Amino acid sequence: QVQLVESGGGSVQAGGSLRLSCAASHGIFTIGTMGWYRQTPGKERELVATIAVDGFTNYADSVKGRFTISRDNAKKTVYLQMNSLKPDDTAVYYCNVDRMGTSIGPLLDQWGQGTQVTVSS
């Protein structure tokens, strides 16, 4: 089954750190831009950070200087290192891949299942 599997969410106090991971399953051969988005109840999903195949990164202003996105192309995995976490960072975090080549053909705009991050004050 072609899927993106996230891990690393949890609860932390303000000022703490978490590291999220998102791994592509077997059957995924090529991956384009990877990213992290987040969503809170009643709000639209928002961009956190993206990283292109060549390593070019883009961050939301609210996380610049605190979060770092990286990828391991050999492992087909994207990471989000989150430092100096704030209560406003509390959300469900979703992994996204804009395009991928898979055993069942090309796929666009694929999402992980989401992982909860809770930051307490």
Side-chain angles (χ1 to χ4, degrees):
Q1 182 179 0
V2 173
Q3 60 181 345
L4 300 171
V5 180
E6 299 159 356
S7 60
S11 298
V12 66
Q13 289 191 327
S17 299
L18 286 173
R19 189 191 194 208
L20 305 182
S21 299
C22 174
S25 67
H26 296 297
I28 297 175
F29 307 125
T30 61
I31 299 176
T33 296
M34 306 180 82
W36 290 95
Y37 293 73
R38 64 189 182 187
Q39 189 170 24
T40 54
K43 293 187 177 181
E44 292 188 356
R45 195 170 295 185
E46 64 175 10
L47 168 73
V48 176
T50 60
I51 183 167
V53 175
D54 62 3
F56 181 83
T57 57
N58 180 50
Y59 293 93
D61 287 343
S62 60
V63 306
K64 283 181 181 176
R66 301 187 298 121
F67 292 9
T68 302
I69 190 171
S70 60
R71 64 190 287 168
D72 185 329
N73 290 328
K75 295 182 178 179
K76 293 178 286 186
T77 299
V78 62
Y79 305 96
L80 185 68
Q81 178 67 44
M82 304 184 293
N83 299 328
S84 302
L85 282 161
K86 305 174 181 179
D88 284 350
D89 295 317
T90 296
V92 178
Y93 284 71
Y94 295 90
C95 170
N96 174 268
V97 175
D98 68 343
R99 54 182 170 78
M100 60 175 72
T102 79
S103 57
I104 59 173
L107 296 176
L108 302 177
D109 197 27
Q110 297 297 296
W111 295 89
Q113 81 282 2
T115 185
Q116 177 70 46
V117 171
T118 302
V119 184
S120 58
S121 58

